[in-house]
Amino acid sequence: MRIATIHGRVALIDGAGSGAVDVEMASGGRFGSEPAGVYERWTEFAAWAGSAPLPLPEALEPESLGSPSPNLRQVFAIGLNYSAHAAESGFARSDTSPPVFTKYPSCITGPYTDIELPSGGHTDWEVELVVVIGPAARHVAAADAWRYVAGLSAGQDVSERRLQMAATPPQFSLGKSYPGFGPVGPWLVTPDEFDDPNDLELGCSINGEQLQVGHTRELIFGVPDLIEQLSRVTPLLPGDLIFTGTPQGVGIGRNPPRWLAPGDVLTSYIEGIGEMRHRFVASGLGGRGANSDPEEER
Ligand code: ZN
């Protein structure tokens, strides 16, 4: 099953990724239009969506897609979760406890937007697997963790490195939370749709030049481990996101470093999920980011 947000309304997406069914209309009002509502009632929703007779899908316009979980309470992000990326960043890898930060929820946006580059910044790309939480998870063992995952999506942990490194120790959360710096999409795919949800290829390119490629089997802390570690500390709530970390190939790890420039088009993909495309624009030109049209981004 694939679930998306279209013009702020939760929808089911067909297998080809080209058609959509509005959940509120197809369920006769049993489920509302708010995406957050289906995560709150995830088990009931998944049972309905898996068995209900659905109307024919309507043509999907990619530009209408928002984040599959746009109105959410918590965003967890994991740093240095691939060995080669930890090395290119100049940090030792940790096998006991991953560095955890947040991307403030206002930076979450959809899969096809323009993103404004902060003036004077060094803005970098980080393609990541993103987990969307279904049922609330607290003290969940890794062996049970997939039951708490509504689905998997693609994400970009867009990062302004100057602000990130401006304080000691580095302030990851602030530098990664400018408007539009948390794109997620194009939809979520439920774990049962994958041959192996623990091994997916992910990557990204700028203007057609591939810069990152990795496989989630290389995660130091995989999805089950992350849910065990995080849920030991804080409840994971329906609709919460976990950005699981990026593989090697980011701009700060290059010699010389490379940063996103106005006009660059960043294309990000994950095997079995789909593709996102973002265009970066100069500050002040009014990009169609998370801050420009709250109604559309809901
Ligand atoms: Zn990251």
Side-chain angles (χ1 to χ4, degrees):
M1 186 194 329
R2 300 175 183 201
I3 297 163
T5 301
I6 299 178
H7 292 305
R9 300 176 61 86
V10 63
L12 293 166
I13 304 298
D14 67 12
S18 57
V21 169
D22 185 86
V23 165
E24 184 177 33
M25 289 197 268
S27 70
R30 178 174 166 188
F31 298 97
S33 65
E34 281 281 335
V38 306
Y39 302 119
E40 288 290 344
R41 294 159 63 193
W42 179 253
T43 306
E44 180 191 354
F45 173 76
W48 170 80
S51 61
L54 297 174
L56 281 175
E58 294 184 16
L60 171 64
E61 297 166 21
E63 307 275 320
S64 67
L65 289 163
S67 164
S69 182
N71 294 327
L72 73 174
R73 288 165 286 195
Q74 304 185 98
V75 182
F76 302 88
I78 310 300
L80 310 174
N81 204 11
Y82 292 80
S83 291
H85 172 64
E88 74 177 350
S89 304
F91 292 98
R93 67 175 266 173
S94 167
D95 292 294
T96 51
S97 185
V100 181
F101 54 96
T102 190
K103 292 173 78 69
Y104 299 111
S106 61
C107 79
I108 300 300
T109 189
Y112 298 95
T113 61
D114 287 357
I115 300 173
E116 217 174 271
L117 291 163
S119 62
H122 288 164
T123 301
D124 205 346
W125 57 90
E126 295 190 355
V127 66
E128 307 200 1
L129 177 75
V130 172
V131 175
V132 184
I133 296 295
R138 180 76 169 130
H139 295 302
V140 169
D144 299 325
W146 280 110
R147 290 174 37 214
Y148 296 85
V149 176
L152 301 175
S153 196
Q156 266 287 344
D157 178 16
V158 183
S159 304
E160 202 285 274
R161 302 297 189 194
R162 279 194 153 159
L163 181 58
Q164 180 183 338
M165 305 301 180
T168 306
Q171 48 188 4
F172 279 46
S173 301
L174 203 58
K176 293 164 172 269
S177 291
Y178 283 90
F181 271 31
V184 179
W187 35 67
L188 75 72
V189 179
T190 50
D192 59 291
E193 298 271 335
F194 300 94
D195 290 339
D196 179 359
N198 292 300
D199 184 15
L200 305 173
E201 182 180 318
L202 73 171
C204 71
S205 60
I206 296 176
N207 308 328
E209 178 189 354
Q210 183 144 25
L211 294 169
Q212 286 191 281
V213 62
H215 296 86
T216 59
R217 64 169 181 267
E218 298 158 356
L219 283 164
I220 300 169
F221 298 92
V223 171
D225 286 341
L226 292 174
I227 288 174
E228 178 175 302
Q229 291 219 12
L230 294 170
S231 76
R232 191 185 293 153
V233 178
T234 181
L236 307 184
L237 303 173
D240 282 358
L241 301 179
I242 305 172
F243 284 70
T244 58
T246 197
Q248 70 177 318
V250 300
I252 199 173
R254 290 168 184 269
N255 188 13
R258 176 171 172 177
W259 314 119
L260 288 157
D264 280 349
V265 175
L266 177 64
T267 306
S268 314
Y269 71 90
I270 300 185
E271 171 191 7
I273 298 174
E275 190 175 275
M276 307 193 294
R277 191 174 61 250
H278 297 94
R279 188 169 64 101
F280 288 82
V281 299
S283 174
L285 295 184
R288 201 178 76 82
N291 57 340
S292 59
D293 187 349
E295 274 305 306
E296 182 146 338
E297 294 300 331
R298 278 174 0 99

